[in-house]
């Protein structure tokens, strides 16, 4: 299992909800959350080892959001 952490511009519950069906369809995403209290609106994804950071970045950007990998 892998933990992927990103900075985003996902700033509301409505925007979080818009990603739910997209992430739900992806079989390699086990769990995910967006911390709306954090200044970086951190997206955390627990995923299988088959999922790359670039795949998540592409997926989120295709849905109109800013996303950037946060270093460990």
């Amino acid at each position: 299992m892998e933990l992927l952490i990103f900075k985003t511009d996902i700033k509301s519950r409505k925007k979080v909800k818009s990603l739910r069906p997209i992430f739900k369809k992806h079989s390699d995403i086990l769990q995910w959350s967006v911390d709306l209290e954090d200044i970086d609106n951190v997206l955390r994804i627990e995923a299988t080892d088959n999922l790359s950071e670039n795949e998540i970045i592409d997926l989120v950007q295709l849905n109109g959001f800013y996303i950037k990998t946060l270093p460990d």
Side-chain angles (χ1 to χ4, degrees):
M1 190 176 79
E2 228 179 326
L3 180 62
L4 305 171
I5 301 174
F6 304 92
K7 176 180 180 172
T8 72
D9 67 349
I10 302 166
K11 295 181 179 175
S12 70
R13 289 177 198 241
K14 186 177 181 181
K15 290 180 179 183
V16 171
K17 277 185 178 180
S18 73
L19 289 173
R20 191 172 292 148
I22 295 142
F23 287 159
K24 209 172 196 175
K25 273 193 262 179
H26 208 296
S27 59
D28 291 317
I29 297 174
L30 307 173
Q31 216 169 2
W32 65 280
S33 65
V34 178
D35 186 350
L36 297 175
E37 303 291 315
D38 189 287
I39 193 164
D40 290 330
N41 302 102
V42 174
L43 169 62
R44 288 180 182 81
I45 296 181
E46 287 181 34
T48 66
D49 294 332
N50 299 330
L51 190 64
S52 73
E53 285 183 347
N54 288 337
E55 285 178 87
I56 293 296
I57 289 170
D58 290 345
L59 194 60
V60 173
Q61 285 178 338
L62 279 172
N63 286 279
F65 297 107
Y66 167 84
I67 182 169
K68 180 183 172 192
T69 305
L70 277 177
D72 292 339

